[in-house]
Amino acid sequence: MNAITNAIAGVPAVAEAVEVLLAARREHRLLSELPATARPSTRDEAYAVMNEVARRLGPVTAWKVGGPAPDAEPTCAPINAATLYFDTERLPASQFHVIGIEAEIVYRLARDLPVGDRPWTREEVLDAVGSVHPAFEICDTRFVTYGAQDALSHMADQANHGALIVGKAVENWRAVDPVRLPITLEIDGKAAASVVGGNSAGDPVNLLTWLANVGSRPFGGLHAGDTVTTGSCTGTIFIKPGARCVARYEGFGTIALTVA
């Protein structure tokens, strides 16, 4: 992944897609699709587009990582400081084209995990974690219709990222098993999801470890202060402007958000 994502100049489709997606953001213009000449044809090309767009948008201070199953190859996307929020209970709906809410678990790093000669172990990765938090990711799109494009186009579009909202740090987080953690999501006071664990990839620490060793390599690894969200526990639920979302994690914490 690292060599290809750092060599976009030689791939015309990648370079064109970068410019098209940046222009769409800059001009607040939704795309019906990527031009045929700008569509990534491989996962590596999609990563190359995504990573270059992120570099040009500003500082990368967070990540999203997830997977469809415990034995599947994860995917990831860098997140810029501009869409990362702490201790926020309200965001403007005008910031989004669609509002897909997901309850997630976030890990914040206290020290660097740079690219090295050997992979980081699970325990080394956990030792680098400074805090763990409940969180919401808002899924959004730069396309007219969410989910209507091919999978690689959506990956290139920052894997449908809109915003990451991080709740209060959890005390004694090592005592909590995220795979067995009961989580409920309410929208406007009505139950929208109730799960135990709920992450399609299984253990989110495995995702964090993969990100440290593989996904973050184009950016030199993970860095102290980085915020990593580890995939939806509740699926993606699309809400209307004005909706109040509350996620409760048993013995772990609560996070609330209104998008209006």
Side-chain angles (χ1 to χ4, degrees):
M1 186 193 303
N2 191 35
I4 295 177
T5 52
N6 286 330
I8 68 163
V11 185
V14 170
E16 183 181 358
V18 168
E19 298 303 328
V20 169
L21 287 167
L22 285 171
R25 289 172 178 268
R26 185 171 58 248
E27 299 165 9
H28 304 286
R29 175 174 48 85
L30 295 172
L31 302 169
S32 58
E33 59 185 358
L34 287 175
T37 54
R39 288 177 203 152
S41 59
T42 66
R43 180 175 284 195
D44 287 319
E45 287 185 5
Y47 271 123
V49 174
M50 177 201 306
N51 291 340
E52 182 62 15
V53 168
R55 290 186 182 98
R56 291 174 59 178
L57 286 175
V60 170
T61 58
W63 290 85
K64 59 181 291 183
V65 60
D71 58 351
E73 174 79 3
T75 58
C76 64
I79 294 174
N80 299 97
T83 58
L84 177 62
Y85 300 88
F86 295 93
D87 301 321
T88 297
E89 289 201 11
R90 193 174 188 90
L91 287 177
S94 59
Q95 185 172 324
F96 309 101
H97 172 48
V98 297
I99 310 167
I101 198 80
E102 299 180 346
E104 309 200 352
I105 295 174
V106 151
Y107 296 81
R108 296 201 74 207
L109 296 190
R111 64 175 180 83
D112 295 345
L113 290 172
V115 174
D117 296 331
R118 64 168 182 83
W120 297 102
T121 67
R122 176 187 176 96
E123 279 309 310
E124 287 172 332
V125 170
L126 285 172
D127 286 344
V129 172
S131 58
V132 182
H133 308 247
F136 282 130
E137 185 185 15
I138 294 177
C139 293
D140 198 6
T141 183
R142 269 49 64 179
F143 295 104
V144 172
T145 305
Y146 185 97
Q149 307 303 311
D150 62 278
L152 294 177
S153 290
H154 284 297
M155 179 185 287
D157 181 31
Q158 207 178 11
N160 297 322
H161 172 71
L164 178 59
I165 302 92
V166 182
K168 293 182 179 179
V170 177
E171 295 182 6
N172 196 26
W173 58 267
R174 279 186 179 266
V176 178
D177 181 356
V179 176
R180 294 176 173 82
L181 179 63
I183 303 169
T184 60
L185 174 62
E186 294 180 357
I187 298 174
D188 290 332
K190 297 180 180 179
S194 179
V195 300
V196 175
N199 194 313
S200 59
D203 188 348
V205 178
N206 292 339
L207 295 170
L208 180 63
T209 303
W210 176 88
L211 182 67
N213 287 318
V214 180
S216 63
R217 291 182 70 88
F219 291 81
L222 296 176
H223 308 282
D226 277 356
T227 301
V228 179
T229 192
T230 52
S232 180
C233 300
T234 55
T236 306
I237 299 173
F238 290 92
I239 61 173
K240 296 179 179 180
R244 177 73 168 173
C245 304
V246 180
R248 295 182 173 88
Y249 304 64
E250 187 175 302
F252 189 83
T254 299
I255 184 170
L257 179 70
T258 300
V259 184

